[in-house]
Amino acid sequence: EAPPKLEDSPAEAFTDSSLFAHWGQELSPEHRRLALKQFQYYGYNAYLSDRLPLDRALPDLRPSGCRNLTFPESLPEVSIVFIFVNEALSVILRSIHSAIDRTPAHLLKEIILVDDNSNNEELKEKLQKYVDEVNAHKPGFIKVVRHRKQEGLIRSRVSGWRAATAPVVALFDAHVEFNVGWAEPVLTRIKENRKTVISPSFDNIKYDNFEIEEYPLSAQGFDWELWCRYLNPPKSWWKLENTTAPIRSPALIGCFIVDREYFQEIGLLDEGMEVYGGENVELGIRVWQCGGSVEVLPCSRIAHIERAHKPYTEDLTAHVRRNALRVAEVWMDEFKSHVYMAWNIPQEDSGIDIGDISERKALRKKLQCKTFRWYLVSVYPEMRMYSDTVAYGVVR
């Protein structure tokens, strides 16, 4: 389910593309065609990315109080894992550069690149040449893990975790740019409580012109289909009147930082899920129900490209639905009906094979986790509950 090779992707009538709404009016027709072809392949403006410096400056979007915070001298090291499939080389290199430039050298143990069986030739020789150049100065600093078949984003993250050796592991997409001072607040919180899983605060790298768009401070949650979404921070956070304070979060949007050993203790990610979607929501629910916590840190900011379309497959919905049903059956008790209802499928004989969930149920029992009702009341009270549902479906 990899996208077509670059030269096989037909360029449609390029004048109507959203790529040119705010960018590229001065390009010649030939260059517009090239830019559009790359946009259709990558889901963002790789043509422009190739022409931007790898070490470009980012606006410091942290709340003002973050600049005055002090952190312990002794903090754990971090391994940064980047996952990709058919990503633009310049985007990957900018992710790596920003990680190296904006993480204190004594805290960054290594960078791990997980290539989920890309078919883009640039990501073989040219990327390996770059890795070899970096490792010539710092032997073993960048590790490359290459999958022989496409495993999907979920199992790719676990591959990266397995290759990591630092006490803390940061699992990221390979289309991000780290902002100044991102690491110290995260590592301080994990040092204080190893059972805290941390998300940075995200800003947006616009897919068309690569400008940075500031996003408001948010918690991270989900709807009953288990699509992730941004939430207003809880009232308890606003009452603190301290914009540097951690934001308690019901779930995770996707990229996160975790104590390496705790991540294993809590059950990693559900490798029975397929391709993409739902694993971040499942992890957030599981961490809370099984004695940990999830936080978003306002002082740790990372800019992330929100693609116009995803690289893995045209039909992400089918995978997200299947993964959501796995979460419902393992973790949601009587509230699993809400997930079936949201997807408008029957609870009995749904026709969807969700795979074997016995190991995940055994994990829940072993960890002596709380109920999903406890989670809804204590962690995610904003989530709407539906009781006494007589029927659902379509009336014709």
Side-chain angles (χ1 to χ4, degrees), residues 260-291:
R260 182 167 58 88
E261 291 181 0
Y262 173 66
F263 192 39
Q264 183 171 29
E265 291 162 21
I266 202 80
L268 302 172
L269 295 173
D270 179 359
E271 292 181 86
M273 290 186 174
E274 288 179 354
V275 184
Y276 177 99
E279 84 292 342
N280 44 336
V281 170
E282 190 265 1
L283 177 62
I285 292 169
R286 172 161 40 101
V287 166
W288 278 113
Q289 284 184 223
C290 306

Side-chain angles (χ1 to χ4, degrees), residues 32 56 75 91 141 146 159 184-186 213 216 223 231 309 330 377 381:
R32 277 191 165 213
R56 69 169 181 159
L75 287 172
V91 167
F141 179 66
R146 293 194 192 271
S159 283
E184 294 91 331
V186 171
E213 177 186 11
D223 59 20
L231 307 171
H309 48 266
V330 176
V377 171

Side-chain angles (χ1 to χ4, degrees), residues 112-351:
I112 295 155
L113 306 178
V114 181
D115 178 356
D116 192 22
N117 196 238
S118 299
N119 59 16
N120 185 337
E121 289 305 314
E122 222 185 15
L123 298 180
K124 296 183 172 75
E125 284 180 31
K126 285 187 181 175
L127 180 59
Q128 192 58 51
K129 185 181 173 197
Y130 171 83
V131 169
D132 292 343
E133 286 170 4
V134 173
N135 287 347
H137 300 288
K138 285 184 83 172
F141 179 66
I142 300 183
K143 297 178 185 173
V144 183
V145 177
R146 293 194 192 271
H147 288 171
R148 293 187 179 176
K149 67 183 179 74
Q150 204 161 92
E151 297 285 356
L153 174 129
I154 297 155
R155 292 195 277 270
S156 296
R157 289 212 199 285
V158 178
S159 283
W161 171 85
R162 288 197 172 103
T165 59
V168 174
V169 180
L171 293 152
F172 281 94
D173 302 326
H175 44 266
V176 297
E177 292 177 52
F178 291 77
N179 218 317
V180 64
W182 79 274
E184 294 91 331
V186 171
L187 298 175
T188 299
R189 287 300 285 174
I190 290 175
K191 184 179 180 181
E192 288 168 356
N193 181 357
R194 65 187 289 272
K195 292 185 176 183
T196 306
V197 180
I198 303 287
S199 170
S201 290
F202 289 106
D203 295 300
N204 183 28
I205 302 171
K206 293 182 183 177
Y207 68 78
D208 54 350
N209 59 15
F210 270 61
E211 289 177 3
I212 307 296
E213 177 186 11
E214 182 177 359
Y215 274 0
L217 292 174
S218 310
Q220 298 167 7
F222 55 92
D223 59 20
W224 283 115
E225 286 186 341
L226 270 54
W227 292 103
C228 48
R229 52 190 289 251
Y230 290 110
L231 307 171
N232 279 325
K235 287 176 186 170
S236 56
W237 183 81
W238 292 106
K239 281 179 186 169
L240 296 172
E241 296 184 354
N242 174 10
T243 53
T244 72
I247 301 168
R248 202 167 179 261
S249 184
L252 294 151
I253 288 287
C255 303
F256 58 92
I257 307 102
V258 62
D259 177 283
R260 182 167 58 88
E261 291 181 0
Y262 173 66
F263 192 39
Q264 183 171 29
E265 291 162 21
I266 202 80
L268 302 172
L269 295 173
D270 179 359
E271 292 181 86
M273 290 186 174
E274 288 179 354
V275 184
Y276 177 99
E279 84 292 342
N280 44 336
V281 170
E282 190 265 1
L283 177 62
I285 292 169
R286 172 161 40 101
V287 166
W288 278 113
Q289 284 184 223
C290 306
S293 58
V294 178
E295 292 178 353
V296 176
L297 295 192
C299 293
S300 178
R301 291 197 85 106
I302 305 231
H304 171 272
I305 301 174
E306 292 192 7
R307 297 175 191 260
H309 48 266
K310 304 281 187 190
Y312 265 110
T313 165
E314 291 298 306
D315 186 20
L316 276 184
T317 303
H319 298 296
V320 175
R321 181 178 61 190
R322 177 191 178 277
N323 293 347
L325 296 184
R326 280 182 72 89
V327 181
E329 290 292 344
V330 176
W331 296 102
M332 292 189 169
D333 309 326
E334 70 269 29
F335 292 94
K336 70 182 182 182
S337 61
H338 289 48
V339 178
Y340 283 88
M341 190 161 63
W343 284 104
N344 197 24
I345 49 179
Q347 257 185 263
E348 303 296 325
D349 303 321
S350 70

Side-chain angles (χ1 to χ4, degrees), residues 6-26:
L6 201 49
E7 59 269 19
D8 300 339
S9 184
E12 62 202 27
F14 54 81
T15 46
D16 299 332
S17 172
S18 66
L19 178 62
F20 302 113
H22 308 288
W23 172 86
Q25 285 78 9
E26 74 292 344

